[in-house]
Amino acid sequence: MSDSHKAIIIIGSGPAGLTAAIYTARAELNPLVIEGEPSSTGDQPGGQLMLTTEVENFPGFPEGIMGPQLMADMKAQAEKFGAIFSTRKVSKVDLTKKPFEIWIGNPDEDSPTHTADALIISTGAQSVMLEVEGEKRLLGHGLSTCATCDGFFFKDKKIAVVGGGDSAIEEATFLTKFASEVTVIHRRDELRASKIMQKRAHENPKINFLWNSEVTEIIGSNSVEGVKIRNTITLEETELNLEGIFIAIGHKPNTSLFIDKLSIDDLGYIKTEPQSTKTNVEGVFACGDVQDHKYRQAITAAGSGCMAAIDAEHWLEN
Amino acid sequence: MSGAITNLSTENFDSEINSVNQPILVDFWAEWCGPCKMIAPILEEIANEQEGVIKIAKVDVDNAPELAQQFEIMSIPTLIVFNNGEPVKRLVGAQGKHQLLDALSEFI
């Protein structure tokens, strides 16, 4: 077989993909990790942790560790055992062929870029946008999906975070290092975030909450000047003046490559068998956030990456 | 090495931007920005491969907040191409090498 053929290809390089790479590389399966391409969303090499600062709950780091550092270390560990990395994005897969076919770049090329006997999918998830007027136009001009990247530019400014989950509250807390005031805009009347994050936010004098509220428009000519808000109960519309707005309303799985090719649930996540990472196509395994809308933690992603490596290894042996 | 990347500061920014007779791409970045770190090796490759065609320079916004303010940077990485000392193109957000080369095709 040619150089483009691999026993195992791993698509995606967050905690799930890199753990699968460490395990399959140690098993001398010479995995190729197609790690994705840089972007300012969670869909990028290293995954969503590349957009975080301190990770306090990954076991083994009592002092905490920076998200990008944790990912760089995981990659170095996989490379140490012989995993090969390609900083490209997969454009098409054919899972009906054996070996599986994978395209990078132009998906209309006749022959695939790579073929693989087993495939591990760990493409993760990325931020959901509000899909409201003004959002696309003002992205990077006061509207951001990455508090750690952009918080610095909002020193002594009045800003808002949209969302009520862990990432929203973590961002709001982080942003108080810079901003004069952070308003959390949430469409319910209580947070989904973990108790410890909630407590920190409630105790922070710079954070206030706008409950039962939905953003309907981002206002501003060259940069964000405010938002239009609708109360979800009274339907009353108001405007709030702001200089910055951060979106953290949740994530969607990166599964567009696999629609009609793998069994996918109503929310867009790849379906796996219980207690396993097997998909409905034999030899294709899925791990991490792309198949998990429940836990979505770095450590559970890493755990399922380990499971996928072991499942793939067994499958290749038989 | 002439394909090297220059670090610009508030003091040398104007003179450096005006001293070259080729387009110069300035990367506004910071140590704490994950996506900035991801594009750093790509910019190094482009600096070497396009030596003599386009020059690449960096501004660490922590050290030069005045420059970030002057160019209204609100998100990093932001890449600004200067030609004859004037900003002519602005790219916000990290991207892959071939997208970046596509976006810069008018200069290279």
Side-chain angles (χ1 to χ4, degrees), chain A residues 34 38 48 64 81 101 116 124 154 167 199 214 230 277 299 315:
Chain A
I34 304 175
Q48 297 165 62
F81 294 115
E101 299 185 337
F154 296 89
S167 18
K199 186 164 177 279
E214 259 175 358
R230 180 171 56 213
T277 60
I299 189 68
W315 188 79

Side-chain angles (χ1 to χ4, degrees), chain B residues 16-34:
Chain B
E16 288 285 335
I17 289 292
N18 287 301
S19 71
V20 286
N21 48 11
Q22 51 182 285
I24 176 164
L25 180 146
V26 181
D27 170 26
F28 290 82
W29 73 289
E31 188 57 40
W32 34 260
C33 158

Side-chain angles (χ1 to χ4, degrees), chain A residues 34-222:
Chain A
I34 304 175
E35 64 173 346
E37 289 175 355
S39 95
S40 292
T41 71
D43 182 15
Q44 63 186 302
Q48 297 165 62
L49 282 187
M50 295 303 286
L51 304 184
T52 64
T53 51
E54 187 124 310
V55 180
E56 293 181 329
N57 55 8
F58 201 89
F61 300 94
E63 306 302 322
I65 181 166
M66 299 303 273
Q69 187 59 50
L70 180 62
M71 299 324 295
D73 289 349
M74 282 192 199
K75 183 176 176 182
Q77 198 172 348
E79 282 177 323
K80 181 177 121 184
F81 294 115
I84 304 294
F85 285 79
S86 164
T87 312
R88 297 299 305 273
K89 217 170 163 138
V90 172
S91 55
K92 188 172 86 176
V93 293
D94 188 339
L95 307 180
T96 63
K97 303 271 175 55
K98 290 281 162 61
F100 303 120
E101 299 185 337
I102 293 148
W103 279 259
I104 281 170
N106 182 0
D108 299 324
E109 290 279 342
D110 289 337
S111 39
T113 322
H114 297 288
T115 53
D117 297 322
L119 195 60
I120 294 179
I121 299 169
S122 50
T123 47
Q126 64 178 302
S127 312
V128 179
M129 300 300 285
L130 292 168
E131 311 286 344
V132 299
E133 179 70 33
E135 182 179 48
K136 278 212 177 82
R137 189 168 50 83
L138 294 166
L139 182 64
H141 300 276
L143 185 136
S144 172
T145 55
C146 178
T148 56
C149 307
D150 304 338
F152 176 83
F153 303 103
F154 296 89
K155 273 185 191 141
D156 304 320
K157 296 198 156 109
K158 196 178 156 203
I159 62 173
V161 174
V162 188
D166 265 334
S167 18
I169 301 311
E170 197 182 317
E171 290 201 355
T173 309
F174 171 78
L175 288 165
T176 59
K177 288 209 277 188
F178 309 100
S180 58
E181 185 184 339
V182 180
T183 303
V184 174
I185 304 173
H186 187 40
R187 62 196 163 108
R188 302 180 201 288
D189 59 4
E190 59 179 0
L191 299 172
R192 275 181 295 112
S194 61
K195 290 281 174 283
I196 184 169
M197 295 304 305
Q198 291 201 30
K199 186 164 177 279
R200 267 184 220 172
H202 284 297
E203 285 171 357
N204 191 317
K206 282 187 178 179
I207 297 182
N208 56 66
F209 296 88
L210 205 54
W211 303 110
N212 300 315
S213 300
E214 259 175 358
V215 172
T216 55
E217 187 182 335
I218 318 285
I219 311 162
S221 42
N222 296 319

Side-chain angles (χ1 to χ4, degrees), chain B residues 54-66:
Chain B
I54 188 164
K55 202 171 155 47
I56 302 206
K58 297 179 91 123
V59 170
D60 181 341
V61 297
D62 267 335
N63 297 333
E66 305 84 2

Side-chain angles (χ1 to χ4, degrees), chain B residues 10-98:
Chain B
T10 317
E11 291 75 36
N12 70 2
F13 187 86
D14 286 337
S15 60
E16 288 285 335
I17 289 292
N18 287 301
S19 71
V20 286
N21 48 11
Q22 51 182 285
I24 176 164
L25 180 146
V26 181
D27 170 26
F28 290 82
W29 73 289
E31 188 57 40
W32 34 260
C33 158
C36 299
K37 284 193 167 167
M38 281 187 290
I39 63 162
I42 295 176
L43 293 176
E44 268 170 40
E45 282 175 32
I46 295 177
N48 285 318
E49 291 164 12
Q50 303 294 333
E51 188 186 332
V53 179
I54 188 164
K55 202 171 155 47
I56 302 206
K58 297 179 91 123
V59 170
D60 181 341
V61 297
D62 267 335
N63 297 333
E66 305 84 2
L67 290 174
Q69 203 167 13
Q70 182 185 340
F71 293 101
E72 296 175 339
I73 307 292
M74 296 184 93
S75 180
I76 53 172
T78 287
L79 308 175
I80 303 181
V81 182
F82 291 83
N83 215 347
N84 303 318
E86 290 299 316
V88 289
K89 183 153 195 152
R90 187 180 179 111
L91 305 166
V92 180
Q95 46 194 316
K97 186 176 176 183
H98 61 275

